[in-house]
Amino acid sequence: MSRQVHFFDQPERFVAGTVGQPGARAFYLQASSRGRITSVLLEKAQVAALAERIEEVLDEALRRSGGEAPIPAVAPVELLDTAPLDLPLEQEFRVGTMALAWDARDDCLVVEAQAYVEESEDESETEVFDDENGPDLLRVRLSGAMARVFAKRALDLVAAGRKPCPFCNLPLDPEGHLCPRANGYRR
C-alpha cells in the first residue's frame, strides 16, 4: 500500500483536542482547511512534548533572526481557538514519530506526524521511511502566530487533566486513589 501524505499549508485550523473524560481521554491533532479535515490519534505525552518543543523552536528562530522573524512572543489573543474538534472525527492513523523544523526562507514552522509502524526483527533501526511505501504522514506548515496559538492550546489541554495527589503527585481518580505514599492505607 502506498504512503498517504496529508499536507496542509497554512491551514484554517490546526489544534490539539480530546474526546472523553479526564483519565480516559483520547488525544488528537486535527488540521482543517477548505472543508477537508484530517485527525490523527496520539498520546498525551506526545501532545505535551510537541507543544513544549514548538515553543523552544519558535524562541530559537526568533533569537537567531535578531527579533526580525514574524513570530510573536506569546500567542495572539485574537487567534486563540477554544472550540471543540471538528466533526466528523475520523482517525487517519496513530502517531508514532514527530518532527519539527523552522523554515527560515518562508518564515513558517513545519510539523510532521508520522504513523506508528511496528518494527519487525529483520528491519534495521536506521531505516528511514521517506519513500512512497513509508508510513502515512501529516505535514502542516504554520505561521509563527498560529504555531504559538497551537502550543498554548495544547499546553492548556494537557494541564486540564486530572488533578495530582498532593502527596505522591499521581493523578487523582474521581472514584478514589490508593496513594503509594500512604503505603496502601486508605481512610
Side-chain angles (χ1 to χ4, degrees):
M1 189 168 164
S2 67
R3 172 184 221 180
Q4 189 170 12
V5 176
H6 306 274
F7 179 68
F8 290 84
D9 191 3
Q10 305 300 329
E12 295 163 8
R13 188 169 192 229
F14 181 61
V15 296
T18 62
V19 173
Q21 296 299 314
R25 297 186 294 176
F27 287 78
Y28 291 89
L29 291 181
Q30 189 176 74
S32 58
S33 187
R34 295 186 208 125
R36 184 172 65 115
I37 301 170
T38 300
S39 304
V40 296
L41 181 69
L42 70 168
E43 299 295 323
K44 177 181 180 179
Q46 288 175 301
V47 174
L50 179 62
E52 290 166 3
R53 189 69 183 122
I54 284 174
E55 290 286 353
E56 291 171 8
V57 168
L58 293 176
D59 291 343
E60 180 65 14
L62 192 57
R63 185 189 68 75
R64 286 187 180 196
S65 73
E68 297 299 315
I71 303 170
V74 296
V77 177
E78 66 276 6
L79 296 178
L80 291 179
D81 182 352
T82 58
L85 294 171
D86 292 329
L87 297 176
L89 186 61
E90 296 173 2
Q91 172 188 328
E92 297 295 333
F93 58 84
R94 175 179 282 278
V95 175
T97 306
M98 294 184 295
L100 289 175
W102 177 256
D103 182 346
R105 187 186 62 200
D106 293 335
D107 286 328
C108 68
L109 182 76
V110 181
V111 179
E112 289 188 353
Q114 184 171 279
Y116 174 76
V117 176
E118 288 189 34
E119 276 190 40
S120 64
E121 292 180 21
D122 58 303
E123 289 181 3
S124 75
E125 292 182 17
T126 59
E127 185 173 348
V128 178
F129 294 104
D130 199 22
D131 64 11
E132 63 188 38
N133 295 320
D136 291 350
L137 179 74
L138 170 64
R139 180 178 292 139
V140 182
R141 296 170 53 86
L142 301 168
S143 67
M146 285 298 293
R148 288 276 190 211
V149 168
F150 171 86
K152 177 171 180 10
R153 177 182 168 131
L155 290 171
D156 290 347
L157 185 71
V158 169
R162 297 174 288 171
K163 300 292 182 215
C165 172
F167 303 111
C168 68
N169 216 26
L170 291 174
L172 290 171
D173 293 321
E175 58 273 353
H177 169 69
L178 274 177
C179 181
R181 299 261 331 256
N183 205 17
Y185 175 75
R186 184 186 277 193
R187 296 180 189 192

